[in-house]
Amino acid sequence: MIAETQKNTGCQIIADATSARSLKNNIPLDKIQEVRPGTEIMIGEVSVKAEKCRHPAAAPVTFIITSEDGVKVFHTADSLPYPEMASIGEREKLDVAFCTVGIAPGASPETGFEIARLTKPQIAIPYHTNSASEQKRFAEILKTNMPRTACLIPEQNKIYQISKRK
C-alpha cells in the first residue's frame, strides 16, 4: 500500500531503518528518507521529527509532524506509553496525539489514555484498533480524567481538518 501510494502521488516516504530497507525494492531511492530518533526532516514548511518508540519491532520511531500553520501532530506508530512522552508533550505543546488502543502487543484503551495523559494534546485520537468498543472505552476514560482534551474517533472515508486555535 505504501509503494502504491508513493507511485500514485510521487510523495516522499519517511521511515524507520527497518521499514526503509524493506521498501527500497519498491520505491525509488530518492523518495525514501530513513530516520532515527532525534532526526528532523523538512519537506517544504512541514517538519517531521522522529522520536523514540516503545514497540517490539526492530527499530521503530514515533513522529511529531508540524504543519505549515503550526499544527503539531504526534503519531505514535503503535507505541505503548513511555515516560519520555511527558517531556515530548511539554516541549511540543501538541495539538493532536494518535493514541494506540489495540492490536499492538500490550495496547489497550488504558495504555492509549496513558499516552494522552503524558502528552496532554488538545485532541486525542484512539487508533490502531479494529474495535469500536476499544475506541469508546478510550473516549470514556479520557472524558472522565481529561475533560479538556477532545476525543476524535475517526470515521472511515471521512476527511478531517484541524487548524491552529487562535
Side-chain angles (χ1 to χ4, degrees):
M1 181 163 203
I2 293 172
E4 186 177 321
T5 299
Q6 194 288 320
K7 183 179 179 182
N8 291 337
T9 65
C11 69
Q12 192 70 33
I13 302 296
I14 300 171
D16 61 76
T18 303
S19 298
R21 276 192 300 278
S22 71
L23 292 169
K24 285 185 179 179
N25 293 327
N26 299 311
I27 295 175
L29 294 179
D30 65 331
K31 294 294 183 177
I32 300 175
Q33 291 189 345
E34 183 180 313
V35 294
R36 299 184 188 291
T39 305
E40 181 175 8
I41 293 174
M42 295 297 296
I43 300 175
E45 295 178 42
V46 175
S47 163
V48 180
K49 294 180 195 174
E51 297 282 349
K52 173 183 167 178
C53 183
R54 184 175 158 221
H55 188 279
V61 295
T62 59
F63 295 97
I64 298 168
I65 304 158
T66 306
S67 71
E68 299 92 334
D69 64 348
V71 174
K72 291 194 177 205
V73 177
F74 185 39
H75 191 288
T76 59
D78 307 350
S79 183
L80 294 173
Y82 55 88
E84 294 90 339
M85 284 183 172
S87 61
I88 290 170
E90 194 173 301
R91 177 184 77 231
E92 298 293 339
K93 309 288 188 247
L94 301 167
D95 296 295
V96 178
F98 284 85
C99 303
T100 312
V101 298
I103 300 175
S108 67
E110 290 76 16
T111 60
F113 167 73
E114 185 63 11
I115 291 170
R117 187 189 69 75
L118 289 166
T119 60
K120 297 175 179 50
Q122 296 294 312
I123 301 168
I125 300 175
Y127 93 115
H128 203 268
T129 183
N130 54 11
S131 167
S133 65
E134 287 178 336
Q135 290 177 314
K136 184 179 178 189
R137 176 72 182 130
F138 171 87
E140 291 167 355
I141 297 167
L142 188 70
K143 184 176 182 178
T144 299
N145 295 285
M146 294 178 69
R148 290 188 166 162
T149 299
C151 180
L152 172 62
I153 297 176
E155 296 176 40
Q156 193 169 5
N157 299 318
K158 187 170 180 182
I159 296 172
Y160 297 88
Q161 182 173 342
I162 298 171
S163 55
K164 199 72 168 165
R165 292 182 184 173
K166 302 274 180 183

